[in-house]
Amino acid sequence: MSNSNGKSPYTVRKLDNGLTVVIEQMPDVRSVAAGFAVKTGARDDPKELAGVSHFLEHMMFKGTPKREWQQITIDFDRMGSQYNAYTSEDRTVYYGWVRTGDLEKQIELLADMIQSTLPPEEFTTEKGVVLEEIAMSKDQLDHVAFDFLQEKVFENHPLGWPILGYDETLNPMTRDQMWAYFKKRYAPSNMMFVVAGNVDPASVMGLVEKYCGSLEAGDPGDERAPATVPTGVATLKVDRFQQQVVALSFPSVSAFDPRVETVSAATTILGGDNSRFFWNIMQKGLALRAGAYHMDYTDCGIMILYGTCEPDRCDAFLEAVREESNRICSERVSPEEADRVKNKRRTSLAIEGEAPYYRLTQLMDDMEFYGRPRTVGERLAEVDEVTPDTIFDYFQSLPINTEGHLTSVGPRTWPA
Amino acid sequence: MSNVVHETLPSGIEYAVLPLPDRRVVAFQIRMLGGCCSDPADKLGLAHLIDETIDMGTTTRTGRELSDAFDAIGAGAGSGTGRETTTYTCSVLPEHFERAVELHADFLRNPTFPEDAVDVALDLARQELVALQDDAHGLLDKYLGQQACGAILGRHALGEPETIGNVSRQSIVDHWRSYFCNGRMIVTVAGAIEAKNVSRVLEKYFNGFGESKQAGRDGFAMAFTPGTTHYDKELEQQQIGIGWPGVEVTHKDYPIQQAVIGILSGGMSGRLFTEVREKRGLVYWVSAWSETPRGAGTMFMGASTMPERCDETYDVLVGEVERLSEDLTEEELQRAKTGILASHETRGDTTRARCSDLASDLFFFGKPIPIETKIAELEAVTVKDVRRYLENYPRDQRCVVTVGPRPLGSAGPSSKTQARASS
């Protein structure tokens, strides 16, 4: 991905206050995406404040020294921005995707909202919204099952807290506790500002300096504890659901690991659209859904093999998953299987290159995990290096034909 | 959109191409004009089952060989069963376009519907219906659609437990023969490709595919039923859905309806988000949307909240729509319009979105509609237009559906399942 003049499309610079700025030029588009990525998420929540990162993300829309809460969303909507925010275990992101001509207004608004006053008068009302979000998640089987899996696989580790937190931690949470967390974690050195679109990097850099240069420097600390994945079994019986979610979790590589593309190919071969699970589990009627997923964090990862099935088919489903796990650990995948996955990846990279918002999120990943933007050519080269041997070697070092950690959520207490 | 090519080939295929030479991919969409509204009443779910089994084997390939062939060209392909159409979408690198069309033609024209694949699909369809009971939003959608749109347009694509039991392999084959042919096919293509190349490829692979005479271009009757229905279910939150009659996509008032949806929930400054969520903290999810099959339209609002707050939430939802005709400002309307207009440039940067918009134009209008026309119609909407729209389409005959632990207006314990009350 280089420009017609052969120059790199990327500009990366650190402002004096520690904020990293990343810009990608995309000459063929009409829009531009911009956003902050803050290196703080649910895993940084103190245990007694589980959910504070996510609740804080909501509060960031509630007011600044310049704007009351309604003015923030009005100003986003005045330029027709496609905007939102989200919180993961590792990161909190605020972004807007606008017409190119509105970029300055978008940067000014994002920079303003990141300097929130966390208005005390909005705190209780917004807490009610988050409690509703928690209630909504309890009606969603997949959400309940995934939270339970995280809680058990990362037991007693911050990665085990649910992103939304608990009623028990949200209810007593005070605005002062949130303020202390905010001032510490939202130091510019713990954030990056990313812009992708049809822009001139020099003028964008000027705008970012203008609006973000005065953000107060600070020390976010770095207290993330490494996690390990235990073996074991955990079940959660919830009578009101009809289906059962069964999942096996195994230790895997972190997002920094050079084998990430190999793991991605392996999970696609096991549990993607045209995968072994699709043909040998779903198309045998054993489960409505079956898949494989790699959850990668900055310092660890897990591979999850999961499915949604009828409660009386749990044994058959698990047996089929174990059979596929044994097979991929003992026999190399065919060269054709590996090639098919790589071909799909090529198309998805071409599609990603069309939309500034897709590029924005990828740049945030690249900067966090690699410390620099990666070209499509570089990423394709990593995809090309995936072979049946690299997949086989991965499973020799991190096997999934072992006991693993089994979680089961649904109306049946299974395994008994 | 002046460079769009739109024509019907001698073989009966209606197609349109939007060449975008700077793009790195080609996106195409094949809409077969037959969806769950065309299912026989005793076999609801049939169209969905055809979609689930049509690519499980052809006269020359097994289902797995077909999937492998798609993967070999890195195609991002998908499908979906709607009320009036069954749609196949695909994104590929330009050099693989012809192969991708060839593979689609293979399974659309030559499916064998293997017995074992049909048996599995029937079993999975039954499981899907069970899984729907674990999906609170999905249940609200289903019940709201049934009441607001009626027996035909309100059908759920999965069908019902008793009707999918009536579906056999033979009924799948018979239905496919009737509804899969050139005369019922609309193809749209966008991206790095020339129109003449598209027509050549379509003729090459689809010429002679069933009946060539155009069919399936008419809509179905909407049957709106006012009233309040509660579906009792153990849930943390109460799901609330409200519907009232609106206009179809081709109606002159449709741009006004779009603006109304934008004012209610186009962005976070929309009225519902502001009044229901941010001012009162009653909900996390709240939204307004429309359902617009051909020749009909219905407006909806929905929210989910804890049971003890459902009455207040309902009152605020209804109150906000009524208040629109009293205090709507120019600035608020302009914001809603800007949101829609800007999305043409943001979302419009993706080739898939351009292809999908073109397909909708052909489906609803029978021709491509220049983007300039759509923009001009929306920009022309005034506050006065919105007031007139709200007057012409009153909401006193509402359709209200709740799913959860207690009916609206009930202080006591919950009612029996599907208890019916008047509004």
Side-chain angles (χ1 to χ4, degrees), chain A residues 40-53 158 161 165-166 169 173 177-178 180-182 184-185 223:
Chain A
T40 203
R43 68 177 303 174
D44 301 298
D45 295 348
K47 188 172 186 181
E48 68 281 7
L49 297 179
V52 68
S53 293
W161 320 153
Y166 305 94
T169 53
M173 194 180 293
Q177 288 172 312
M178 180 183 281
Y181 178 84
F182 170 48
K184 181 178 177 195
R185 298 299 300 175
E223 297 157 8

Side-chain angles (χ1 to χ4, degrees), chain A residues 258-271:
Chain A
R259 290 170 290 179
V260 161
E261 284 293 349
T262 290
V263 183
S264 169
T267 53
T268 306
I269 289 168
L270 272 176

